[in-house]
Every structure is written in C-alpha cells, then in structure tokens.
Amino acid sequence: MTHKNGFSTTLSVCGGVLFGAGIVSGYLLNGYVKKNKPLNGDKILKRIKKAFLEEGPIEGSWIELTKVPMQKFALKTKVYYGGISRIEENQLVQYEFFADAYTGTVLDIYRL
C-alpha cells in the first residue's frame, strides 16, 4: 500500500510542476505575442494628430496602413508612414512622418 501512496504523491507533484510550467509558458508566450503584434495605424495617426492640434488646427491627415520595412542605423523595424497638413503663415504646409508599427513611436517627422 505504501508503494501506491508514493506513486500517487509523485504523480501529484509531477502534475503540479507541469501545471505551473504551463502557466509560466502561457504568460511568457502572451507577452511575446503582444510585443510582436502591430498597433492599429489609425490609433497612431490619432495620437500624432493630437500632438499637432496642440499647436493649432490641421487641414488634413493620412496614414498608409501597410507596414513597410525601415532601417535607420542599427534599428530595423516595420513602420507606418503618413502625413499631416496645416496652414502656417497663410500657406499650406505638409509634414510626413514614420511611426514604428509595434510601439507607435514616431521615428522621423519632417516638413515637405
């Protein structure tokens, strides 16, 4: 009878270890998937527009929702690119930007 009890205890311990390993693996996999999932381009554009609106009204905006590869020095990522236009000193001025598709960080913005 002791033999059965020892086997049952070993089986319970192994089951607990496997269950714990499954939970940890699931947590780590979830973090990896979220990290490597691109953000919604419209949300990125909305955030950039909000920053421009702090300086004044804008006339128009756009974003290309197809991610394109970009390398700047050692940084390699995929980006969304888009533009903002507004009136400055009675003239229409356009800006173009590149935003990291995974973090939403603006990597470059320049006046055309």
Side-chain angles (χ1 to χ4, degrees), residues 25-55:
S25 296
Y27 177 78
L28 293 174
L29 183 61
N30 184 40
Y32 175 78
V33 168
K34 282 184 178 179
K35 179 181 172 187
N36 292 307
K37 182 179 177 188
L39 298 175
N40 181 308
D42 289 325
K43 289 182 181 178
I44 294 172
L45 178 60
K46 186 176 181 179
R47 190 170 51 89
I48 294 169
K49 285 172 54 176
K50 183 178 177 184
F52 267 84
L53 284 168
E54 288 178 9
E55 294 184 358

mmCIF file of all heavy atoms in Angstrom, residues 25-55:
data_model
loop_
_atom_site.group_PDB
_atom_site.id
_atom_site.type_symbol
_atom_site.label_atom_id
_atom_site.label_comp_id
_atom_site.label_asym_id
_atom_site.label_seq_id
_atom_site.Cartn_x
_atom_site.Cartn_y
_atom_site.Cartn_z
ATOM 1 N N SER A 25 4.668 29.307 -19.090
ATOM 2 C CA SER A 25 4.849 29.335 -20.543
ATOM 3 C C SER A 25 3.775 30.174 -21.215
ATOM 4 O O SER A 25 4.054 30.954 -22.128
ATOM 5 C CB SER A 25 4.813 27.911 -21.110
ATOM 6 O OG SER A 25 5.884 27.156 -20.614
ATOM 7 N N GLY A 26 2.541 30.024 -20.773
ATOM 8 C CA GLY A 26 1.448 30.812 -21.340
ATOM 9 C C GLY A 26 1.634 32.300 -21.108
ATOM 10 O O GLY A 26 1.402 33.113 -22.001
ATOM 11 N N TYR A 27 2.086 32.666 -19.934
ATOM 12 C CA TYR A 27 2.329 34.078 -19.612
ATOM 13 C C TYR A 27 3.420 34.651 -20.510
ATOM 14 O O TYR A 27 3.283 35.732 -21.070
ATOM 15 C CB TYR A 27 2.716 34.212 -18.137
ATOM 16 C CG TYR A 27 3.062 35.618 -17.734
ATOM 17 C CD1 TYR A 27 2.065 36.556 -17.503
ATOM 18 C CD2 TYR A 27 4.383 36.016 -17.596
ATOM 19 C CE1 TYR A 27 2.375 37.858 -17.138
ATOM 20 C CE2 TYR A 27 4.699 37.314 -17.229
ATOM 21 C CZ TYR A 27 3.697 38.220 -17.002
ATOM 22 O OH TYR A 27 4.010 39.499 -16.646
ATOM 23 N N LEU A 28 4.519 33.899 -20.656
ATOM 24 C CA LEU A 28 5.628 34.377 -21.487
ATOM 25 C C LEU A 28 5.235 34.448 -22.957
ATOM 26 O O LEU A 28 5.594 35.393 -23.657
ATOM 27 C CB LEU A 28 6.853 33.469 -21.304
ATOM 28 C CG LEU A 28 7.495 33.515 -19.913
ATOM 29 C CD1 LEU A 28 8.597 32.465 -19.801
ATOM 30 C CD2 LEU A 28 8.024 34.888 -19.586
ATOM 31 N N LEU A 29 4.493 33.472 -23.433
ATOM 32 C CA LEU A 29 4.045 33.465 -24.826
ATOM 33 C C LEU A 29 3.103 34.633 -25.089
ATOM 34 O O LEU A 29 3.190 35.291 -26.123
ATOM 35 C CB LEU A 29 3.369 32.142 -25.166
ATOM 36 C CG LEU A 29 2.906 31.971 -26.608
ATOM 37 C CD1 LEU A 29 4.101 32.062 -27.566
ATOM 38 C CD2 LEU A 29 2.199 30.642 -26.794
ATOM 39 N N ASN A 30 2.213 34.921 -24.151
ATOM 40 C CA ASN A 30 1.300 36.049 -24.290
ATOM 41 C C ASN A 30 2.078 37.362 -24.420
ATOM 42 O O ASN A 30 1.758 38.204 -25.254
ATOM 43 C CB ASN A 30 0.351 36.099 -23.091
ATOM 44 C CG ASN A 30 -0.681 37.197 -23.223
ATOM 45 O OD1 ASN A 30 -1.209 37.433 -24.294
ATOM 46 N ND2 ASN A 30 -0.950 37.879 -22.131
ATOM 47 N N GLY A 31 3.114 37.543 -23.596
ATOM 48 C CA GLY A 31 3.942 38.748 -23.686
ATOM 49 C C GLY A 31 4.649 38.852 -25.018
ATOM 50 O O GLY A 31 4.731 39.922 -25.606
ATOM 51 N N TYR A 32 5.133 37.721 -25.528
ATOM 52 C CA TYR A 32 5.831 37.713 -26.812
ATOM 53 C C TYR A 32 4.872 38.086 -27.942
ATOM 54 O O TYR A 32 5.203 38.890 -28.807
ATOM 55 C CB TYR A 32 6.433 36.336 -27.074
ATOM 56 C CG TYR A 32 7.067 36.206 -28.432
ATOM 57 C CD1 TYR A 32 8.326 36.736 -28.683
ATOM 58 C CD2 TYR A 32 6.400 35.581 -29.474
ATOM 59 C CE1 TYR A 32 8.908 36.645 -29.931
ATOM 60 C CE2 TYR A 32 6.976 35.478 -30.733
ATOM 61 C CZ TYR A 32 8.221 36.005 -30.946
ATOM 62 O OH TYR A 32 8.789 35.910 -32.192
ATOM 63 N N VAL A 33 3.680 37.522 -27.930
ATOM 64 C CA VAL A 33 2.703 37.801 -28.986
ATOM 65 C C VAL A 33 2.292 39.273 -28.951
ATOM 66 O O VAL A 33 2.221 39.927 -29.986
ATOM 67 C CB VAL A 33 1.471 36.872 -28.852
ATOM 68 C CG1 VAL A 33 0.339 37.326 -29.744
ATOM 69 C CG2 VAL A 33 1.860 35.435 -29.184
ATOM 70 N N LYS A 34 2.043 39.811 -27.757
ATOM 71 C CA LYS A 34 1.662 41.224 -27.658
ATOM 72 C C LYS A 34 2.790 42.130 -28.130
ATOM 73 O O LYS A 34 2.556 43.142 -28.777
ATOM 74 C CB LYS A 34 1.285 41.580 -26.220
ATOM 75 C CG LYS A 34 -0.087 41.117 -25.822
ATOM 76 C CD LYS A 34 -0.431 41.586 -24.432
ATOM 77 C CE LYS A 34 -1.835 41.158 -24.051
ATOM 78 N NZ LYS A 34 -2.169 41.583 -22.694
ATOM 79 N N LYS A 35 4.023 41.771 -27.805
ATOM 80 C CA LYS A 35 5.170 42.582 -28.196
ATOM 81 C C LYS A 35 5.351 42.589 -29.710
ATOM 82 O O LYS A 35 5.772 43.567 -30.292
ATOM 83 C CB LYS A 35 6.434 42.035 -27.529
ATOM 84 C CG LYS A 35 7.688 42.788 -27.875
ATOM 85 C CD LYS A 35 8.883 42.160 -27.194
ATOM 86 C CE LYS A 35 10.166 42.793 -27.698
ATOM 87 N NZ LYS A 35 11.341 42.117 -27.208
ATOM 88 N N ASN A 36 5.030 41.494 -30.374
ATOM 89 C CA ASN A 36 5.253 41.367 -31.810
ATOM 90 C C ASN A 36 3.982 41.554 -32.626
ATOM 91 O O ASN A 36 3.922 41.160 -33.774
ATOM 92 C CB ASN A 36 5.891 40.011 -32.113
ATOM 93 C CG ASN A 36 7.299 39.945 -31.573
ATOM 94 O OD1 ASN A 36 8.103 40.811 -31.860
ATOM 95 N ND2 ASN A 36 7.581 38.953 -30.768
ATOM 96 N N LYS A 37 2.982 42.160 -32.021
ATOM 97 C CA LYS A 37 1.733 42.433 -32.725
ATOM 98 C C LYS A 37 1.694 43.917 -33.076
ATOM 99 O O LYS A 37 1.861 44.763 -32.199
ATOM 100 C CB LYS A 37 0.546 42.076 -31.831
ATOM 101 C CG LYS A 37 -0.779 42.269 -32.493
ATOM 102 C CD LYS A 37 -1.900 41.873 -31.566
ATOM 103 C CE LYS A 37 -3.224 42.146 -32.258
ATOM 104 N NZ LYS A 37 -4.334 41.952 -31.342
ATOM 105 N N PRO A 38 1.496 44.243 -34.337
ATOM 106 C CA PRO A 38 1.481 45.663 -34.712
ATOM 107 C C PRO A 38 0.273 46.387 -34.122
ATOM 108 O O PRO A 38 -0.785 45.815 -33.915
ATOM 109 C CB PRO A 38 1.405 45.634 -36.235
ATOM 110 C CG PRO A 38 0.892 44.289 -36.587
ATOM 111 C CD PRO A 38 1.291 43.365 -35.483
ATOM 112 N N LEU A 39 0.479 47.671 -33.843
ATOM 113 C CA LEU A 39 -0.588 48.526 -33.347
ATOM 114 C C LEU A 39 -1.486 48.931 -34.509
ATOM 115 O O LEU A 39 -1.108 48.857 -35.672
ATOM 116 C CB LEU A 39 0.001 49.779 -32.699
ATOM 117 C CG LEU A 39 0.892 49.556 -31.486
ATOM 118 C CD1 LEU A 39 1.505 50.872 -31.032
ATOM 119 C CD2 LEU A 39 0.104 48.919 -30.356
ATOM 120 N N ASN A 40 -2.648 49.409 -34.176
ATOM 121 C CA ASN A 40 -3.578 49.908 -35.179
ATOM 122 C C ASN A 40 -3.071 51.250 -35.700
ATOM 123 O O ASN A 40 -2.861 52.184 -34.922
ATOM 124 C CB ASN A 40 -4.963 50.045 -34.530
ATOM 125 C CG ASN A 40 -6.010 50.533 -35.482
ATOM 126 O OD1 ASN A 40 -5.839 51.549 -36.144
ATOM 127 N ND2 ASN A 40 -7.099 49.808 -35.550
ATOM 128 N N GLY A 41 -2.866 51.356 -37.013
ATOM 129 C CA GLY A 41 -2.344 52.576 -37.621
ATOM 130 C C GLY A 41 -3.232 53.781 -37.384
ATOM 131 O O GLY A 41 -2.741 54.903 -37.207
ATOM 132 N N ASP A 42 -4.549 53.575 -37.347
ATOM 133 C CA ASP A 42 -5.459 54.700 -37.101
ATOM 134 C C ASP A 42 -5.260 55.283 -35.709
ATOM 135 O O ASP A 42 -5.369 56.489 -35.512
ATOM 136 C CB ASP A 42 -6.911 54.259 -37.284
ATOM 137 C CG ASP A 42 -7.255 53.994 -38.747
ATOM 138 O OD1 ASP A 42 -6.710 54.712 -39.616
ATOM 139 O OD2 ASP A 42 -8.048 53.079 -39.012
ATOM 140 N N LYS A 43 -4.954 54.434 -34.727
ATOM 141 C CA LYS A 43 -4.706 54.922 -33.371
ATOM 142 C C LYS A 43 -3.406 55.729 -33.321
ATOM 143 O O LYS A 43 -3.315 56.728 -32.614
ATOM 144 C CB LYS A 43 -4.657 53.763 -32.378
ATOM 145 C CG LYS A 43 -6.015 53.149 -32.135
ATOM 146 C CD LYS A 43 -5.952 52.051 -31.115
ATOM 147 C CE LYS A 43 -7.340 51.448 -30.921
ATOM 148 N NZ LYS A 43 -7.333 50.339 -29.968
ATOM 149 N N ILE A 44 -2.409 55.286 -34.074
ATOM 150 C CA ILE A 44 -1.148 56.029 -34.137
ATOM 151 C C ILE A 44 -1.391 57.404 -34.755
ATOM 152 O O ILE A 44 -0.927 58.420 -34.249
ATOM 153 C CB ILE A 44 -0.085 55.235 -34.914
ATOM 154 C CG1 ILE A 44 0.292 53.964 -34.139
ATOM 155 C CG2 ILE A 44 1.143 56.086 -35.197
ATOM 156 C CD1 ILE A 44 1.183 53.000 -34.906
ATOM 157 N N LEU A 45 -2.146 57.442 -35.854
ATOM 158 C CA LEU A 45 -2.456 58.718 -36.516
ATOM 159 C C LEU A 45 -3.225 59.640 -35.570
ATOM 160 O O LEU A 45 -2.934 60.842 -35.488
ATOM 161 C CB LEU A 45 -3.257 58.485 -37.790
ATOM 162 C CG LEU A 45 -3.678 59.749 -38.548
ATOM 163 C CD1 LEU A 45 -2.455 60.557 -38.977
ATOM 164 C CD2 LEU A 45 -4.540 59.386 -39.748
ATOM 165 N N LYS A 46 -4.156 59.090 -34.827
ATOM 166 C CA LYS A 46 -4.940 59.901 -33.885
ATOM 167 C C LYS A 46 -4.023 60.555 -32.843
ATOM 168 O O LYS A 46 -4.180 61.730 -32.519
ATOM 169 C CB LYS A 46 -5.984 59.021 -33.197
ATOM 170 C CG LYS A 46 -6.939 59.760 -32.318
ATOM 171 C CD LYS A 46 -7.999 58.816 -31.752
ATOM 172 C CE LYS A 46 -8.968 59.570 -30.877
ATOM 173 N NZ LYS A 46 -10.009 58.686 -30.331
ATOM 174 N N ARG A 47 -3.039 59.809 -32.354
ATOM 175 C CA ARG A 47 -2.108 60.345 -31.352
ATOM 176 C C ARG A 47 -1.230 61.451 -31.951
ATOM 177 O O ARG A 47 -1.001 62.483 -31.325
ATOM 178 C CB ARG A 47 -1.234 59.210 -30.817
ATOM 179 C CG ARG A 47 -0.420 59.603 -29.616
ATOM 180 C CD ARG A 47 0.249 58.411 -28.967
ATOM 181 N NE ARG A 47 0.978 57.586 -29.886
ATOM 182 C CZ ARG A 47 2.265 57.773 -30.211
ATOM 183 N NH1 ARG A 47 2.947 58.754 -29.686
ATOM 184 N NH2 ARG A 47 2.864 56.971 -31.054
ATOM 185 N N ILE A 48 -0.777 61.249 -33.203
ATOM 186 C CA ILE A 48 0.053 62.259 -33.858
ATOM 187 C C ILE A 48 -0.764 63.518 -34.143
ATOM 188 O O ILE A 48 -0.297 64.641 -33.936
ATOM 189 C CB ILE A 48 0.693 61.680 -35.139
ATOM 190 C CG1 ILE A 48 1.679 60.572 -34.756
ATOM 191 C CG2 ILE A 48 1.386 62.767 -35.954
ATOM 192 C CD1 ILE A 48 2.188 59.751 -35.921
ATOM 193 N N LYS A 49 -1.995 63.337 -34.587
ATOM 194 C CA LYS A 49 -2.871 64.488 -34.825
ATOM 195 C C LYS A 49 -3.100 65.274 -33.536
ATOM 196 O O LYS A 49 -3.100 66.509 -33.556
ATOM 197 C CB LYS A 49 -4.215 64.025 -35.402
ATOM 198 C CG LYS A 49 -4.151 63.622 -36.848
ATOM 199 C CD LYS A 49 -5.420 62.985 -37.344
ATOM 200 C CE LYS A 49 -6.657 63.786 -37.131
ATOM 201 N NZ LYS A 49 -7.874 63.166 -37.721
ATOM 202 N N LYS A 50 -3.275 64.566 -32.432
ATOM 203 C CA LYS A 50 -3.486 65.233 -31.142
ATOM 204 C C LYS A 50 -2.297 66.127 -30.802
ATOM 205 O O LYS A 50 -2.476 67.261 -30.340
ATOM 206 C CB LYS A 50 -3.697 64.186 -30.045
ATOM 207 C CG LYS A 50 -4.002 64.770 -28.696
ATOM 208 C CD LYS A 50 -4.246 63.679 -27.661
ATOM 209 C CE LYS A 50 -4.485 64.285 -26.303
ATOM 210 N NZ LYS A 50 -4.637 63.267 -25.263
ATOM 211 N N ALA A 51 -1.089 65.637 -31.070
ATOM 212 C CA ALA A 51 0.111 66.445 -30.796
ATOM 213 C C ALA A 51 0.146 67.685 -31.687
ATOM 214 O O ALA A 51 0.466 68.784 -31.222
ATOM 215 C CB ALA A 51 1.364 65.598 -31.006
ATOM 216 N N PHE A 52 -0.206 67.538 -32.965
ATOM 217 C CA PHE A 52 -0.224 68.688 -33.873
ATOM 218 C C PHE A 52 -1.311 69.685 -33.478
ATOM 219 O O PHE A 52 -1.122 70.895 -33.589
ATOM 220 C CB PHE A 52 -0.432 68.220 -35.316
ATOM 221 C CG PHE A 52 0.837 68.006 -36.073
ATOM 222 C CD1 PHE A 52 1.524 66.802 -35.966
ATOM 223 C CD2 PHE A 52 1.360 68.983 -36.899
ATOM 224 C CE1 PHE A 52 2.699 66.589 -36.659
ATOM 225 C CE2 PHE A 52 2.538 68.787 -37.591
ATOM 226 C CZ PHE A 52 3.207 67.585 -37.472
ATOM 227 N N LEU A 53 -2.450 69.179 -33.025
ATOM 228 C CA LEU A 53 -3.554 70.058 -32.653
ATOM 229 C C LEU A 53 -3.219 70.936 -31.455
ATOM 230 O O LEU A 53 -3.831 71.994 -31.276
ATOM 231 C CB LEU A 53 -4.816 69.236 -32.372
ATOM 232 C CG LEU A 53 -5.522 68.703 -33.623
ATOM 233 C CD1 LEU A 53 -6.579 67.677 -33.242
ATOM 234 C CD2 LEU A 53 -6.128 69.842 -34.434
ATOM 235 N N GLU A 54 -2.245 70.546 -30.657
ATOM 236 C CA GLU A 54 -1.830 71.377 -29.530
ATOM 237 C C GLU A 54 -1.194 72.677 -30.005
ATOM 238 O O GLU A 54 -1.181 73.661 -29.278
ATOM 239 C CB GLU A 54 -0.855 70.603 -28.635
ATOM 240 C CG GLU A 54 -1.528 69.495 -27.842
ATOM 241 C CD GLU A 54 -0.559 68.700 -27.000
ATOM 242 O OE1 GLU A 54 0.626 69.085 -26.874
ATOM 243 O OE2 GLU A 54 -0.987 67.661 -26.446
ATOM 244 N N GLU A 55 -0.683 72.678 -31.239
ATOM 245 C CA GLU A 55 -0.057 73.883 -31.800
ATOM 246 C C GLU A 55 -0.998 74.666 -32.702
ATOM 247 O O GLU A 55 -0.665 75.758 -33.126
ATOM 248 C CB GLU A 55 1.197 73.505 -32.587
ATOM 249 C CG GLU A 55 2.300 72.933 -31.723
ATOM 250 C CD GLU A 55 3.560 72.652 -32.522
ATOM 251 O OE1 GLU A 55 3.562 72.865 -33.753
ATOM 252 O OE2 GLU A 55 4.533 72.228 -31.903
#
